[in-house]
Short mmCIF file of all heavy atoms in Angstrom, two decimals:
data_model
loop_
_atom_site.label_atom_id
_atom_site.label_comp_id
_atom_site.label_asym_id
_atom_site.label_seq_id
_atom_site.Cartn_x
_atom_site.Cartn_y
_atom_site.Cartn_z
N THR A 1 0.81 -1.21 0.00
CA THR A 1 0.00 0.00 0.00
C THR A 1 0.85 1.27 0.00
O THR A 1 0.55 2.22 -0.73
CB THR A 1 -0.96 0.00 1.20
OG1 THR A 1 -1.91 -1.04 1.03
CG2 THR A 1 -1.67 1.34 1.32
N GLN A 2 1.91 1.31 0.80
CA GLN A 2 2.71 2.52 0.90
C GLN A 2 3.33 2.88 -0.44
O GLN A 2 3.40 4.05 -0.82
CB GLN A 2 3.79 2.38 1.96
CG GLN A 2 4.50 3.69 2.27
CD GLN A 2 3.52 4.77 2.71
OE1 GLN A 2 2.69 4.57 3.58
NE2 GLN A 2 3.61 5.94 2.07
N ALA A 3 3.78 1.86 -1.19
CA ALA A 3 4.35 2.13 -2.50
C ALA A 3 3.32 2.76 -3.42
O ALA A 3 3.61 3.66 -4.20
CB ALA A 3 4.89 0.84 -3.12
N LEU A 4 2.07 2.29 -3.31
CA LEU A 4 1.01 2.85 -4.13
C LEU A 4 0.68 4.28 -3.70
O LEU A 4 0.48 5.16 -4.53
CB LEU A 4 -0.23 1.97 -4.05
CG LEU A 4 -0.09 0.58 -4.66
CD1 LEU A 4 -1.29 -0.28 -4.31
CD2 LEU A 4 0.06 0.67 -6.17
N LEU A 5 0.65 4.49 -2.38
CA LEU A 5 0.38 5.83 -1.89
C LEU A 5 1.47 6.80 -2.32
O LEU A 5 1.20 7.96 -2.65
CB LEU A 5 0.24 5.82 -0.37
CG LEU A 5 -0.97 5.07 0.20
CD1 LEU A 5 -0.92 5.06 1.72
CD2 LEU A 5 -2.26 5.70 -0.28
N ASP A 6 2.71 6.30 -2.33
CA ASP A 6 3.83 7.13 -2.79
C ASP A 6 3.67 7.49 -4.26
O ASP A 6 4.19 8.51 -4.72
CB ASP A 6 5.17 6.40 -2.57
CG ASP A 6 5.51 6.28 -1.09
OD1 ASP A 6 4.91 7.02 -0.28
OD2 ASP A 6 6.37 5.44 -0.76
N ALA A 7 2.97 6.63 -5.01
CA ALA A 7 2.74 6.88 -6.44
C ALA A 7 1.41 7.60 -6.66
O ALA A 7 0.86 7.57 -7.76
CB ALA A 7 2.76 5.56 -7.21
N ASN A 8 0.88 8.22 -5.59
CA ASN A 8 -0.37 8.99 -5.64
C ASN A 8 -1.59 8.13 -5.91
O ASN A 8 -2.56 8.58 -6.51
CB ASN A 8 -0.27 10.11 -6.69
CG ASN A 8 0.76 11.15 -6.30
OD1 ASN A 8 0.86 11.52 -5.13
ND2 ASN A 8 1.52 11.62 -7.26
N PHE A 9 -1.56 6.85 -5.47
CA PHE A 9 -2.74 6.01 -5.54
C PHE A 9 -3.50 6.21 -4.23
O PHE A 9 -2.96 5.99 -3.15
CB PHE A 9 -2.36 4.53 -5.71
CG PHE A 9 -2.13 4.15 -7.14
CD1 PHE A 9 -1.12 4.73 -7.87
CD2 PHE A 9 -2.93 3.20 -7.75
CE1 PHE A 9 -0.90 4.37 -9.19
CE2 PHE A 9 -2.71 2.84 -9.07
CZ PHE A 9 -1.69 3.42 -9.79
N GLU A 10 -4.75 6.59 -4.32
CA GLU A 10 -5.51 6.97 -3.14
C GLU A 10 -5.93 5.76 -2.31
O GLU A 10 -6.11 5.86 -1.10
CB GLU A 10 -6.75 7.75 -3.57
CG GLU A 10 -7.58 8.28 -2.42
CD GLU A 10 -8.78 9.07 -2.90
OE1 GLU A 10 -8.85 9.34 -4.12
OE2 GLU A 10 -9.62 9.41 -2.06
N TYR A 11 -6.12 4.59 -2.96
CA TYR A 11 -6.66 3.43 -2.27
C TYR A 11 -5.62 2.32 -2.12
O TYR A 11 -4.72 2.19 -2.94
CB TYR A 11 -7.89 2.90 -3.02
CG TYR A 11 -9.07 3.84 -2.93
CD1 TYR A 11 -9.28 4.81 -3.90
CD2 TYR A 11 -9.95 3.75 -1.87
CE1 TYR A 11 -10.36 5.67 -3.81
CE2 TYR A 11 -11.03 4.61 -1.77
CZ TYR A 11 -11.24 5.57 -2.74
OH TYR A 11 -12.29 6.42 -2.63
N PRO A 12 -5.76 1.49 -1.07
CA PRO A 12 -4.77 0.43 -0.82
C PRO A 12 -4.72 -0.61 -1.93
O PRO A 12 -5.67 -0.80 -2.69
CB PRO A 12 -5.27 -0.21 0.49
CG PRO A 12 -6.17 0.79 1.10
CD PRO A 12 -6.78 1.56 -0.03
N ALA A 13 -3.60 -1.34 -1.97
CA ALA A 13 -3.46 -2.46 -2.91
C ALA A 13 -4.35 -3.60 -2.45
O ALA A 13 -4.55 -3.82 -1.26
CB ALA A 13 -2.01 -2.92 -2.94
N ILE A 14 -4.90 -4.31 -3.41
CA ILE A 14 -5.76 -5.45 -3.10
C ILE A 14 -4.94 -6.73 -3.17
O ILE A 14 -4.19 -6.96 -4.12
CB ILE A 14 -6.95 -5.52 -4.08
CG1 ILE A 14 -7.88 -4.32 -3.84
CG2 ILE A 14 -7.72 -6.83 -3.94
CD1 ILE A 14 -9.01 -4.20 -4.82
N ASN A 15 -5.10 -7.55 -2.15
CA ASN A 15 -4.40 -8.82 -2.09
C ASN A 15 -5.23 -9.94 -2.71
O ASN A 15 -4.72 -10.79 -3.43
CB ASN A 15 -4.06 -9.17 -0.64
CG ASN A 15 -3.16 -10.37 -0.53
OD1 ASN A 15 -2.16 -10.46 -1.24
ND2 ASN A 15 -3.49 -11.31 0.35
N GLU A 16 -6.54 -9.92 -2.43
CA GLU A 16 -7.42 -10.98 -2.92
C GLU A 16 -8.83 -10.44 -3.09
O GLU A 16 -9.32 -9.66 -2.27
CB GLU A 16 -7.42 -12.15 -1.92
CG GLU A 16 -8.26 -13.34 -2.34
CD GLU A 16 -8.29 -14.43 -1.28
OE1 GLU A 16 -7.69 -14.22 -0.20
OE2 GLU A 16 -8.92 -15.47 -1.53
N TRP A 17 -9.50 -10.87 -4.18
CA TRP A 17 -10.89 -10.50 -4.41
C TRP A 17 -11.82 -11.42 -3.65
O TRP A 17 -11.51 -12.60 -3.43
CB TRP A 17 -11.23 -10.58 -5.90
CG TRP A 17 -10.52 -9.61 -6.78
CD1 TRP A 17 -9.56 -9.89 -7.70
CD2 TRP A 17 -10.72 -8.19 -6.84
NE1 TRP A 17 -9.14 -8.74 -8.33
CE2 TRP A 17 -9.83 -7.69 -7.82
CE3 TRP A 17 -11.55 -7.31 -6.15
CZ2 TRP A 17 -9.76 -6.33 -8.13
CZ3 TRP A 17 -11.49 -5.95 -6.47
CH2 TRP A 17 -10.60 -5.48 -7.45
N ASN A 18 -12.97 -10.91 -3.29
CA ASN A 18 -14.04 -11.71 -2.70
C ASN A 18 -14.98 -12.14 -3.83
O ASN A 18 -15.97 -11.47 -4.11
CB ASN A 18 -14.80 -10.91 -1.64
CG ASN A 18 -16.01 -11.65 -1.11
OD1 ASN A 18 -16.12 -12.87 -1.24
ND2 ASN A 18 -16.94 -10.90 -0.52
N GLU A 19 -14.67 -13.25 -4.47
CA GLU A 19 -15.46 -13.68 -5.62
C GLU A 19 -16.81 -14.25 -5.21
O GLU A 19 -17.65 -14.53 -6.07
CB GLU A 19 -14.66 -14.68 -6.45
CG GLU A 19 -13.39 -14.07 -7.02
CD GLU A 19 -12.78 -14.87 -8.15
OE1 GLU A 19 -13.53 -15.58 -8.86
OE2 GLU A 19 -11.55 -14.77 -8.34
N ASP A 20 -17.05 -14.42 -3.91
CA ASP A 20 -18.36 -14.86 -3.43
C ASP A 20 -19.32 -13.68 -3.24
O ASP A 20 -20.51 -13.89 -2.99
CB ASP A 20 -18.21 -15.60 -2.10
CG ASP A 20 -17.49 -16.93 -2.26
OD1 ASP A 20 -17.62 -17.55 -3.33
OD2 ASP A 20 -16.79 -17.35 -1.31
N SER A 21 -18.80 -12.46 -3.36
CA SER A 21 -19.67 -11.28 -3.22
C SER A 21 -20.74 -11.28 -4.31
O SER A 21 -20.46 -11.55 -5.48
CB SER A 21 -18.84 -10.00 -3.32
OG SER A 21 -19.68 -8.87 -3.47
N LYS A 22 -21.97 -10.96 -3.95
CA LYS A 22 -23.04 -10.87 -4.94
C LYS A 22 -22.78 -9.77 -5.96
O LYS A 22 -23.37 -9.74 -7.03
CB LYS A 22 -24.38 -10.65 -4.26
CG LYS A 22 -24.52 -9.32 -3.53
CD LYS A 22 -25.90 -9.12 -2.91
CE LYS A 22 -26.95 -8.82 -3.97
NZ LYS A 22 -28.27 -8.48 -3.37
N TYR A 23 -21.87 -8.86 -5.59
CA TYR A 23 -21.58 -7.73 -6.47
C TYR A 23 -20.31 -7.94 -7.30
O TYR A 23 -19.94 -7.03 -8.05
CB TYR A 23 -21.42 -6.45 -5.64
CG TYR A 23 -22.63 -6.13 -4.80
CD1 TYR A 23 -22.57 -6.16 -3.41
CD2 TYR A 23 -23.84 -5.81 -5.40
CE1 TYR A 23 -23.69 -5.87 -2.64
CE2 TYR A 23 -24.97 -5.52 -4.64
CZ TYR A 23 -24.88 -5.55 -3.26
OH TYR A 23 -26.00 -5.27 -2.51
N PHE A 24 -19.69 -9.10 -7.19
CA PHE A 24 -18.41 -9.29 -7.88
C PHE A 24 -18.55 -9.08 -9.38
O PHE A 24 -17.73 -8.42 -10.01
CB PHE A 24 -17.84 -10.68 -7.59
CG PHE A 24 -16.45 -10.88 -8.14
CD1 PHE A 24 -15.36 -10.31 -7.50
CD2 PHE A 24 -16.24 -11.59 -9.32
CE1 PHE A 24 -14.07 -10.46 -8.01
CE2 PHE A 24 -14.96 -11.74 -9.83
CZ PHE A 24 -13.87 -11.18 -9.17
N ASP A 25 -19.62 -9.63 -9.97
CA ASP A 25 -19.83 -9.50 -11.41
C ASP A 25 -20.59 -8.24 -11.79
O ASP A 25 -20.96 -8.07 -12.95
CB ASP A 25 -20.56 -10.73 -11.95
CG ASP A 25 -19.70 -11.98 -11.90
OD1 ASP A 25 -18.47 -11.83 -12.04
OD2 ASP A 25 -20.24 -13.08 -11.71
N TRP A 26 -20.81 -7.36 -10.82
CA TRP A 26 -21.44 -6.07 -11.14
C TRP A 26 -20.43 -5.11 -11.76
O TRP A 26 -20.81 -4.06 -12.27
CB TRP A 26 -22.02 -5.44 -9.87
CG TRP A 26 -23.32 -6.05 -9.44
CD1 TRP A 26 -23.66 -7.36 -9.40
CD2 TRP A 26 -24.48 -5.33 -8.97
NE1 TRP A 26 -24.93 -7.53 -8.92
CE2 TRP A 26 -25.46 -6.29 -8.65
CE3 TRP A 26 -24.76 -3.98 -8.77
CZ2 TRP A 26 -26.73 -5.94 -8.15
CZ3 TRP A 26 -26.01 -3.63 -8.28
CH2 TRP A 26 -26.98 -4.59 -7.99
N TRP A 27 -19.15 -5.50 -11.71
CA TRP A 27 -18.09 -4.62 -12.18
C TRP A 27 -17.42 -5.21 -13.40
O TRP A 27 -17.15 -6.42 -13.46
CB TRP A 27 -17.07 -4.37 -11.06
CG TRP A 27 -17.75 -3.89 -9.83
CD1 TRP A 27 -18.15 -4.63 -8.76
CD2 TRP A 27 -18.20 -2.55 -9.57
NE1 TRP A 27 -18.81 -3.85 -7.84
CE2 TRP A 27 -18.86 -2.57 -8.31
CE3 TRP A 27 -18.11 -1.35 -10.27
CZ2 TRP A 27 -19.42 -1.43 -7.75
CZ3 TRP A 27 -18.66 -0.21 -9.71
CH2 TRP A 27 -19.30 -0.25 -8.47
N ASP A 28 -17.14 -4.38 -14.38
CA ASP A 28 -16.47 -4.82 -15.60
C ASP A 28 -15.05 -5.25 -15.26
O ASP A 28 -14.30 -4.50 -14.64
CB ASP A 28 -16.46 -3.67 -16.62
CG ASP A 28 -15.87 -4.10 -17.94
OD1 ASP A 28 -16.34 -5.09 -18.50
OD2 ASP A 28 -14.92 -3.42 -18.40
N ARG A 29 -14.68 -6.47 -15.67
CA ARG A 29 -13.37 -7.02 -15.30
C ARG A 29 -12.65 -7.59 -16.52
O ARG A 29 -13.28 -7.96 -17.53
CB ARG A 29 -13.53 -8.12 -14.24
CG ARG A 29 -14.08 -7.60 -12.93
CD ARG A 29 -14.20 -8.69 -11.87
NE ARG A 29 -14.77 -8.15 -10.64
CZ ARG A 29 -14.09 -7.53 -9.69
NH1 ARG A 29 -12.76 -7.41 -9.81
NH2 ARG A 29 -14.68 -7.06 -8.61
N VAL A 30 -11.34 -7.65 -16.41
CA VAL A 30 -10.51 -8.20 -17.47
C VAL A 30 -9.49 -9.16 -16.87
O VAL A 30 -9.16 -9.09 -15.69
CB VAL A 30 -9.77 -7.09 -18.25
CG1 VAL A 30 -10.75 -6.24 -19.05
CG2 VAL A 30 -8.95 -6.21 -17.31
N GLU A 31 -9.00 -10.06 -17.72
CA GLU A 31 -8.00 -11.05 -17.27
C GLU A 31 -6.61 -10.44 -17.33
O GLU A 31 -5.75 -10.87 -18.09
CB GLU A 31 -8.10 -12.31 -18.13
CG GLU A 31 -9.35 -13.12 -17.88
CD GLU A 31 -9.43 -13.63 -16.44
OE1 GLU A 31 -8.40 -14.11 -15.93
OE2 GLU A 31 -10.51 -13.51 -15.83
N ALA A 32 -6.42 -9.42 -16.55
CA ALA A 32 -5.12 -8.76 -16.46
C ALA A 32 -5.02 -8.13 -15.09
O ALA A 32 -6.03 -7.78 -14.47
CB ALA A 32 -4.97 -7.69 -17.54
N ALA A 33 -3.81 -8.04 -14.59
CA ALA A 33 -3.59 -7.41 -13.29
C ALA A 33 -3.57 -5.90 -13.44
O ALA A 33 -3.15 -5.36 -14.47
CB ALA A 33 -2.28 -7.90 -12.68
#
């Protein structure tokens, strides 16, 4: 997270997605990091 904040990223880095969330597929996603 600190490296991202240093690069002016406002939000923390994500370690793992919650793919069981009912909203997981509510967001447009791609097979890329």
Side-chain angles (χ1 to χ4, degrees):
T1 293
Q2 190 57 50
L4 293 170
L5 293 176
D6 291 343
N8 294 320
F9 275 63
E10 184 179 351
Y11 290 92
I14 292 174
N15 188 48
E16 182 183 3
W17 294 110
N18 174 19
E19 297 197 28
D20 292 329
S21 168
K22 65 178 286 186
Y23 303 114
F24 187 76
D25 291 329
W26 282 44
W27 307 96
D28 184 54
R29 296 181 182 276
V30 292
E31 289 298 316

